[in-house]
Amino acid sequence: MSGNSKQIITIDGPAGAGKSTVAKQLAHKLNVSYLDTGAMYRALTFKAIQRNIDLEDEEAIVAMAQQTNIDLESHGLRAKVLLDGKDVSEDIRSVEVTNKTFYIAQKPRVRAIMVDWQRKLGAQKSIVVEGRDVGTVVFPQANKKFYLDANVDERSRRRMEELMEKGNEVDKDQLTAELKERDNKDLTRRVGPLKKAEDAVYIDTTDLSVEEVI
């Protein structure tokens, strides 16, 4: 990207739509930073689990968040998540963290802290940012907005492939049920629900390769 003006490109969509893969590769092609907002919520969830904090206790989560430092580093196509200086990139992808992140993500005061962090990162440099509400809430004035989607069977297949590659045993029916439940939670939560921004370009990735989406 040329010029001195900072560019913000947002990619929203449900789990398994291809956001992370596409956002990383697009950022790499454009030679800008990649920001995974979901990883920030996962990192905070991981820390809360490690500290045995009640995930329903908003006061305790807010207090912990105020004493937490989360950094996201891009290394080519690899993205590193640093939690208080420690690399937790793999830890935050566990099934337990995946299934519990919702509790953190639905808390208004926690989201306010996270959105503030994300906007500060966006003010520093050009970024491709992905999440659930980045085009609608975090960066409503983004230069370009996209919404990626795919049917639930394809999203479930991708997630299963990803988990099996890491050596996890997966029950397809259970995974699909969990994905549908996650969709419902993302779409119906009171703060920052998953939805397409009015000015976002909609892309159904079901039958498209990563290269075709990009």
Side-chain angles (χ1 to χ4, degrees):
M1 270 180 190
S2 57
N4 296 319
S5 60
K6 294 178 181 64
Q7 300 279 319
I8 294 174
I9 298 167
T10 64
I11 300 177
D12 285 306
K19 300 185 304 296
S20 299
T21 306
V22 169
K24 275 182 212 165
Q25 295 200 22
L26 184 60
H28 184 61
K29 277 179 181 285
L30 297 173
N31 195 28
V32 300
S33 292
Y34 158 67
L35 173 57
D36 176 0
T37 61
M40 299 176 82
Y41 288 101
R42 285 171 174 271
L44 209 56
T45 304
F46 175 70
K47 184 171 179 176
I49 291 169
Q50 293 293 101
R51 293 190 168 196
N52 290 318
I53 292 174
D54 180 359
L55 297 181
E56 297 282 15
D57 187 343
E58 187 167 9
E59 288 292 331
I61 303 288
V62 167
M64 182 190 74
Q66 289 168 340
Q67 303 295 318
T68 299
N69 183 48
I70 299 172
D71 276 328
L72 303 176
E73 294 180 357
S74 298
H75 301 274
L77 290 173
R78 284 192 67 245
K80 231 187 222 186
V81 183
L82 301 175
L83 174 64
D84 298 324
K86 184 189 171 200
D87 185 354
V88 293
S89 309
E90 290 301 317
D91 300 303
I92 64 170
R93 300 292 165 187
S94 74
V95 173
E96 182 184 18
V97 171
T98 297
N99 290 339
K100 289 183 175 176
T101 298
F102 165 76
Y103 294 102
I104 297 262
Q106 68 171 342
K107 307 233 171 340
R109 288 169 60 206
V110 177
R111 286 196 81 85
I113 292 170
M114 296 297 235
V115 168
D116 187 50
W117 286 350
Q118 290 154 15
R119 285 178 179 159
K120 279 176 181 165
L121 287 167
Q124 294 165 11
K125 52 196 171 184
S126 291
I127 57 172
V128 174
V129 53
E130 56 118 329
R132 300 288 194 279
D133 64 346
V134 290
T136 52
V137 176
V138 188
F139 297 109
Q141 304 303 320
N143 305 79
K144 300 281 183 189
K145 299 178 186 178
F146 298 92
Y147 187 94
L148 301 192
D149 204 355
N151 68 43
V152 73
D153 289 335
E154 175 61 15
R155 291 191 289 120
S156 178
R157 186 195 67 75
R158 291 173 188 172
R159 179 72 179 139
M160 191 162 76
E161 208 171 75
E162 184 188 323
L163 289 167
M164 287 171 70
E165 274 175 15
K166 292 177 181 174
N168 295 298
E169 282 188 21
V170 186
D171 180 312
K172 186 177 185 297
D173 293 337
Q174 184 184 342
L175 183 68
T176 302
E178 286 173 357
L179 200 61
K180 286 178 179 174
E181 184 186 356
R182 198 167 157 197
D183 284 350
N184 184 53
K185 286 175 176 175
D186 286 339
L187 289 161
T188 58
R189 68 179 175 222
R190 287 177 301 122
V191 286
L194 167 65
K195 69 175 181 181
K196 176 187 168 293
E198 284 184 14
D199 53 347
V201 176
Y202 179 90
I203 302 174
D204 185 336
T205 70
T206 304
D207 299 315
L208 299 177
S209 68
V210 174
E211 292 73 24
E212 286 170 329
V213 176
I214 291 168

